[in-house]
Structures are given as structure tokens and as C-alpha cells.
Amino acid sequence: NPISNGGDYSGATSPSLTVDNRTTANDGDSYYVAISSSCPTISSTTAVLNVATGVAVDVDPADQTVCYSGGTATFTVAGSGTVSGYNWQYSDGVNPFANVVNGTPAGASYSGDTTDTLVVTTTGALASGTHLYRAVINGNSPCPSVNSASANLLINTPTVTNPSAATVFAGNTANFTATPTATGTVTYQWQYATSASGTYADVVDGTPVGVTYSGATTTSLDAVTTSITPGSVDNYYRLVVTSDGCSVASSGAQLTVNNYCTPTLVTSNGSYYDAFTTTGGTTNITNTASGFATNGYGNYSNLTVTQYQNSVVNFTTSIVGATVGCAIWVDWDHNGVFDTTERMANTTSYVSAFSGSFTVPATATPGPTRMRILIDYWNGNPADPCVISVTGPRGEVEDYTFDVIAQPACSG
């Protein structure tokens, strides 16, 4: 239809037409010019009017978090209007925003940087600090571009202090404690290895032998040993702290378990104690018809004799086999070693019966400790609580508990 000047048009009869007040309803309108002269009228090709809508940010990108060791974060923007494209930009909070590029900052790479969704992939090289991202939503010319609000890329960096090494005597409990700093959903798991830099696995009862646990999923672990837990220094424990899927581990702390020496392995059952009893204590041991202990060692630490310092205990044994040498030790100072001065009774020649008495030293440490009795077919005067003569070892070792009571203070 012919156009006349006035209203939304001007220049209707000139080489240049100006159109005003167009809306999206006019998008796609077509125009051409008819040129008249003395010659026949000719018409131009058709021009199409494209009406672009200004762009706007409807939803800004939200803060995202990655683990300090690396991860993936996704930023999304939503815009409206006639969008011609997107550009994602980065700033460290000091320098101005610039289009993202791999390696800025160090440890960050990108995909989707010209779409409405930016994927940031990080490694452990990404340092903590300010990491800001925003989207530039480009309008269709002549409409201008607009910037979204910036969003933070946060680094989840849980920390944990290192537990301290512990030393216990078998039968006692070692405690390991570590202090975490973490946010979000946080879990804890204690792990065990046989060396500080070894392969760690979650603690489980019975690993190592004779050790059970409580508090395995808390910040404080109790490693519970028994009297038969072998002495060892090859035990290490660490705490793994996991914060929203991001984990950090403490250094391993060493557990040293001290225990009494393991006696010589014996396979010959020709000589052994078949009974051991005490009298005179406030409580006494009665272990009769015990037979030959497996491999020549019997752990009867569940049987206890109790006596005051500076008081006498009597003992009687029943021996099976030919004449032998015998001895008794008590660890009065609770140091885990049967010292030479702690041999309380012994034969000096071969015997077929062994009984007697001994006095609890006035300086004996109060509380339960270990008592060991030994029989040796090849030695009439045993002096080593850990060795049965190796010339075809024949004999037996039995361990019991001796509970020392402190003498009451005098009054009056």
C-alpha cells in the first residue's frame, strides 16, 4: 500500500523513509520504493523490517562451590528479549571483568563460554581467593548488551589437625583425637595403615589382631587393646574429614603397643604345669587340671591373685613330666618387662615339685600387673622369662594377673 507522510512515517516521497513507533507486531513488515519519471515507473527490491526487543537478565547466576582438589562448577543465566549471544567473563575482584580464557585463573578451564551455561573445571592448582563470574547477554543491534550480576566460585577447603602418637601397654586403650574445620554436610572416618605413608583403610575390629574400636566415625577414636594384643609399632591412624563430598586427611599418628615378651614356641608336651594355686592373698588363683597349653603358652590373665604390699603369697604347682627347672616372675613396676630383680621364686637344680612363697615388695606399684611362671626340662635354674632352652624345647609358660593393693595409711 502507498505510504503517506504523517503519523509514523516521514520521507514517504523521498529517497529515505523514516519509520517510527514500531513494535514486535511490525516485525517482518516489508517495504519497497516506486520511482516515477517520464519513463515507466520502476520498483526496488523489498526490504524487511526486523523489530528487535531489548535484552534483560531474568535470572542471575548463583554462587557455586568446588573442592580444593578440583571439581566442576556450572553457572547459568536466564535472559529475555532478542538475544544474539552470550559471553562469560571473569574477575579476581581487583582486575576488571574480561572474557574467560583457559588458564585464567591458574587451574581453571571452560566450556560453554558463549552459551547461557558456563562450565568451569578446576584442578588443585586453583588458589583460594576471589573468583567472580558474570554473563554478558548481547542484544540484537541496535539494542545494547546487558551484564548479569556476578557470582562467586567458592573453594571448599576443609582442614583437620593431626592426631598425636600414643603408647599403651596391652590391655589398655589408646585415644586419637583430631580437630576439623568444615562446613556443610560433614562426615568423619578413621583409617588404619601399617606405615605412616602406607595404604590406609577404614578401621575394623580385629585389624590389627587384638584391637577393637569405638568412635570410628567421630573426631575421637578409641583403640582398645587386650592382654593378648601383640606388641607392635607398625600401627598408624588418620582421620578423613569429608565436607559436602570434599575430603581431607590428617597425617597418620603412630600407635605403639607394648606387651610382655612372647615365650619360645614349644611342641613337646613332655613337661608342663597341670595345676597352679595360690593361698594367703585377699583373693587367690586356683587353676587345676589345666593340661599342656597350646604351643607351650597359656594365657590365664583372667585369673587373679590379690595381695597387699609387703605381704606374703604362697604358691603350689603340680608338675607333669620328669624333673625340671621352675621360676616365677612378677612385673612389680608395670613396665612390661620381667626384670632380673622381679624373679620371685626359682629352682637352682632339677626338681619334681615346686612350691613356696614370696613377699610383695613394699615398693610394688599398686594395681593389676602380670605374673609369669615357667617350667624348663633342660634348665634347672631358669633365668630368662621369655626363653625355654632351645635344645629341643620342652616346657611351658603360663601368665596370670597379680593385683597389688597399697598398704592403708596408719592412723592413731
Side-chain angles (χ1 to χ4, degrees):
N1 296 322
I3 295 174
S4 301
N5 289 325
D8 295 337
Y9 299 105
S10 63
T13 58
S14 71
S16 178
L17 174 69
T18 300
V19 181
D20 293 323
N21 301 317
R22 299 295 90 180
T23 69
T24 54
N26 302 109
D27 188 42
D29 288 354
S30 299
Y31 297 89
Y32 69 92
V33 60
I35 303 174
S36 300
S37 68
S38 59
C39 298
T41 299
I42 60 174
S43 299
S44 70
T45 58
T46 300
V48 177
L49 175 65
N50 294 317
V51 179
T53 303
V55 293
V57 177
D58 294 331
V59 180
D60 288 304
D63 292 349
Q64 302 295 320
T65 301
V66 292
C67 184
Y68 71 96
S69 58
T72 299
T74 300
F75 295 97
T76 300
V77 68
S80 59
T82 305
V83 178
S84 64
Y86 302 85
N87 292 103
W88 284 91
Q89 297 184 328
Y90 168 80
S91 171
D92 61 4
V94 176
N95 295 300
F97 278 95
N99 291 346
V100 296
V101 58
N102 290 340
T104 301
S109 59
Y110 306 99
S111 63
D113 52 303
T114 57
T115 72
D116 60 357
T117 300
L118 176 70
V119 177
V120 184
T121 301
T122 66
T123 69
L126 180 65
S128 296
T130 300
H131 302 291
L132 301 174
Y133 292 89
R134 74 179 184 185
V136 178
I137 303 178
N138 299 312
N140 213 358
S141 180
C143 298
S145 300
V146 294
N147 299 326
S148 72
S150 61
N152 286 283
L153 177 61
L154 305 172
I155 312 301
N156 185 8
T157 309
T159 62
V160 59
T161 61
N162 295 322
S164 299
T167 299
V168 296
F169 193 80
N172 293 287
T173 298
N175 176 261
F176 297 96
T177 299
T179 302
T181 301
T183 58
T185 301
V186 183
T187 61
Y188 309 104
Q189 180 63 58
W190 285 93
Q191 296 184 326
Y192 165 82
T194 56
S195 66
S197 58
T199 301
Y200 284 83
D202 294 352
V203 295
V204 58
D205 289 348
T207 302
V209 174
V211 179
T212 58
Y213 303 99
S214 64
T217 56
T218 72
T219 60
S220 183
L221 176 73
D222 282 337
V224 183
T225 68
T226 69
S227 61
I228 61 172
T229 302
S232 173
V233 297
D234 299 326
N235 311 293
Y236 292 84
Y237 295 89
R238 72 178 186 182
L239 177 63
V240 177
V241 178
T242 301
S243 167
D244 289 335
C246 184
S247 296
V248 64
S250 71
S251 297
Q254 185 179 32
L255 170 62
T256 299
V257 179
N258 294 323
N259 205 344
Y260 296 98
C261 56
T262 302
T264 304
L265 178 67
V266 175
T267 56
S268 171
N269 61 358
S271 299
Y272 59 91
Y273 290 115
D274 196 42
F276 176 73
T277 60
T278 66
T279 59
T282 60
T283 63
N284 289 286
I285 293 170
T286 300
N287 188 18
T288 59
S290 56
F292 177 73
T294 302
N295 296 324
Y297 175 69
N299 188 329
Y300 300 111
S301 56
N302 60 311
L303 302 178
T304 302
V305 55
T306 305
Q307 185 56 294
Y308 286 95
Q309 296 164 327
N310 208 30
S311 300
V312 174
V313 170
N314 307 304
F315 66 90
T316 303
T317 67
S318 174
I319 296 173
V320 172
T323 56
V324 292
C326 304
I328 297 177
W329 292 263
V330 183
D331 181 20
W332 298 122
D333 58 6
H334 297 200
N335 70 346
V337 178
F338 296 114
D339 300 316
T340 301
T341 57
E342 293 177 330
R343 188 173 67 160
M344 304 310 298
N346 61 280
T347 60
T348 56
S349 60
Y350 294 101
V351 299
S352 59
F354 181 50
S355 61
S357 63
F358 56 87
T359 301
V360 180
T363 57
T365 302
T369 189
R370 186 66 61 90
M371 177 170 64
R372 173 165 291 182
I373 66 174
L374 180 147
I375 186 171
D376 192 341
Y377 175 77
W378 296 104
N379 189 346
N381 185 8
D384 190 332
C386 303
V387 176
I388 296 175
S389 299
V390 294
T391 307
R394 175 175 166 178
E396 187 187 46
V397 170
E398 295 181 357
D399 280 349
Y400 296 90
T401 297
F402 199 115
D403 193 0
V404 177
I405 305 174
Q407 284 284 3
C410 295
S411 61

